[in-house]
Amino acid sequence: MHADERRWNGWLVARCQRYIVGTVISLGFLLGFTGVASAQMPEQTNEFRRIEQPIGLKTAVTLGGLGLIGAELWWFLFSKTRSQKAENTHGVQELTINVDGGYAPDRIIVKSGQLVRLNFLRKDPSSCLEKVLIPDFHIAQDLALNNITPIEFIPEKPGQYQFTCGMNMFRGVVEVQ
């Protein structure tokens, strides 16, 4: 064997020894800490431990939950929509819609066959209301904050045409008569 080969073999043996010693020490620490940790753990059972609460607290939590459910149902299903008829000025049906936490009014009544101009005045800075979509008329328009953005279209057929925010969370209806 040459001197270079002996040096290489010696280096390799020393490296393997360090690796083996390090592994054994790590395994010893792991087993030692695991033994300590498991000795301190309380005995576990498969049963749940019941925590008793005062009846007043249970009643308050239940009534509060039912009240919130009722408020949510009212808000999304039963709240009265605000409707307004567009004003006809020089052959253009025009109406300003305030965009502030939703659309006001959220139901617009117009006549078919005439130009409709909806002026959206956005006061709400939330990103949800920065765009309005009227899919039936192929309209997707960005709304500038604190500015009026006019949107024009001509509804040909009577019906109800929905408009929504960019995230489809806030809605309104254009009712064509």
Side-chain angles (χ1 to χ4, degrees), residues 23-94:
T23 302
V24 170
I25 290 172
S26 297
L27 189 59
F29 279 129
L30 182 66
L31 292 176
F33 288 132
T34 304
V36 170
S38 64
Q40 294 175 354
M41 296 278 293
E43 181 181 328
Q44 294 185 1
T45 63
N46 289 336
E47 296 178 20
F48 288 106
R49 189 171 49 139
R50 191 171 181 95
I51 299 174
E52 288 297 323
Q53 298 290 334
I55 191 74
L57 182 60
K58 290 179 183 179
T59 304
V61 168
T62 302
L63 291 176
L66 290 174
L68 289 173
I69 290 170
E72 182 178 351
L73 287 174
W74 173 81
W75 177 261
F76 287 106
L77 300 178
F78 304 117
S79 64
K80 189 174 180 179
T81 59
R82 298 163 296 225
S83 66
Q84 190 170 346
K85 194 171 187 175
E87 293 181 22
N88 196 341
T89 310
H90 304 295
V92 177
Q93 301 175 86
E94 191 167 13

Side-chain angles (χ1 to χ4, degrees), residues 132-152:
V132 66
L133 306 171
I134 310 174
D136 293 315
F137 297 104
H138 307 290
I139 295 172
Q141 180 69 46
D142 290 329
L143 303 177
L145 187 60
N146 296 320
N147 286 323
I148 291 178
T149 306
I151 295 178
E152 295 181 349

